[in-house]
Amino acid sequence: MKINIENKQRIHDVLLTDMQRRIFKQYNARKDEFNLTDEDYDVQQTLLVDSVLHCETLNDVNDVVCNNQDLFDDYDSINVFTLEGTMNYIFKLLR
């Protein structure tokens, strides 16, 4: 399902904001455990921004979510990895 031009920027914005929040939360929780550096964090952020900005379809968004599945660790996020679940995840972010 192709994302309309009018909606693309808004979807990119909310997806990027939520994923960055999740990365930040994970980074702070695991910093001592895995000895992550700020460079690791910066690289992960850069890769995320690049992948989100190349999302043209709902399937692309689903690929980004599936490639970052370690960020979705709560029970409510289990269904986000299906195409329908990704669509509902985006709708929830757009509220």
Side-chain angles (χ1 to χ4, degrees), residues 13 25 65 78 92:
D13 290 345
K25 180 181 174 185
V65 170
I78 288 176
K92 182 179 173 185

Side-chain angles (χ1 to χ4, degrees), residues 5 12 15 19 23 26 32-33 37 48 63 73 87 93:
I5 293 287
H12 287 174
L15 180 61
M19 298 288 277
I23 289 172
Q26 183 186 62
D32 295 330
E33 185 177 331
T37 64
L48 175 67
D63 289 343
D73 57 356
M87 185 175 63
L93 292 178

Side-chain angles (χ1 to χ4, degrees), residues 1-73:
M1 178 187 304
K2 191 161 176 71
I3 301 171
N4 290 339
I5 293 287
E6 307 87 42
N7 300 326
K8 194 180 299 184
Q9 185 61 47
R10 181 69 178 132
I11 289 173
H12 287 174
D13 290 345
V14 296
L15 180 61
L16 197 54
T17 299
D18 185 64
M19 298 288 277
Q20 285 177 324
R21 180 185 57 80
R22 291 173 184 271
I23 289 172
F24 184 73
K25 180 181 174 185
Q26 183 186 62
Y27 175 75
N28 284 333
R30 293 184 169 183
K31 190 170 184 175
D32 295 330
E33 185 177 331
F34 294 108
N35 197 22
L36 296 175
T37 64
D38 289 341
E39 185 176 335
D40 296 331
Y41 178 77
D42 290 343
V43 167
Q44 190 173 10
Q45 288 284 353
T46 302
L47 292 173
L48 175 67
V49 169
D50 186 55
S51 62
V52 168
L53 293 180
H54 285 92
C55 289
E56 299 287 329
T57 66
L58 186 58
N59 193 43
D60 294 341
V61 174
N62 183 253
D63 289 343
V64 169
V65 170
C66 289
N67 289 337
N68 292 283
Q69 65 185 3
D70 60 313
L71 300 177
F72 296 89
D73 57 356

